[in-house]
Amino acid sequence: MKNFWIAILLLSCATGFSQTDGTQQEWEKTSCYSKISFQLVHQGTNGTRHIWKIRFKNDYENIISFNYHIDNENTDNQPTTHRKILYPKSVSAEQEIYTDTENVFIIVDKVSLSPYPQNFINCE
């Protein structure tokens, strides 16, 4: 179980690298998986909700799949609720995410070198 939580990426995306003007930003590598990167761009607010655009990049030579979750709390027991499949050396389509605060955490876990959630790889 400890390896599972070590494999989780908890990266604060506060004003340091979230952008409010919607321009493209540099790719950020996950701390656990050096060949999975993401771009997270703050698009502003809609009422009290913050709007984000996120996309992932796969630098592995294989197809990969992984779980991810974006939340405003940094908790170890937060379940990852979305599964993403990426082909080798590809970039995902942009997805729009809504949060309650501007400080968010990206959690990536259960990485597999296949399109199926099996034989998970450990944090690098």
Side-chain angles (χ1 to χ4, degrees):
M1 187 69 175
K2 184 176 181 181
N3 284 340
F4 170 76
W5 293 115
I6 291 172
I8 294 179
L9 164 70
L10 296 174
L11 195 62
S12 176
C13 299
T15 56
F17 53 90
S18 64
Q19 298 178 356
T20 57
D21 62 358
T23 60
Q24 202 67 292
Q25 71 181 80
E26 296 296 318
W27 288 100
E28 297 288 334
K29 293 193 180 293
T30 62
S31 63
C32 248
Y33 303 100
S34 63
K35 295 184 179 182
I36 300 175
S37 305
F38 64 91
Q39 287 180 327
L40 184 67
V41 179
H42 189 251
Q43 299 288 300
T45 58
N46 183 2
T48 60
R49 306 274 305 193
H50 291 267
I51 307 166
W52 302 88
K53 298 274 183 158
I54 189 167
R55 60 189 196 153
F56 293 95
K57 181 170 75 167
N58 174 14
D59 287 326
Y60 286 98
E61 298 291 334
N62 307 61
I63 191 170
I64 64 166
S65 60
F66 56 91
N67 286 8
Y68 73 95
H69 183 72
I70 299 172
D71 200 355
N72 57 347
E73 291 185 28
N74 179 2
T75 60
D76 286 343
N77 60 357
Q78 186 70 300
T80 49
T81 55
H82 305 285
R83 186 115 184 119
K84 175 73 66 189
I85 297 172
L86 288 175
Y87 290 100
K89 305 290 184 181
S90 68
V91 175
S92 72
E94 258 184 3
Q95 292 182 265
E96 196 169 77
I97 308 282
Y98 293 87
T99 62
D100 293 329
T101 69
E102 191 173 353
N103 296 322
V104 296
F105 296 89
I106 300 172
I107 302 166
V108 172
D109 66 359
K110 297 184 181 175
V111 176
S112 177
L113 297 177
S114 81
Y116 308 106
Q118 62 190 21
N119 303 322
F120 303 120
I121 60 175
N122 291 327
C123 184
E124 300 169 343

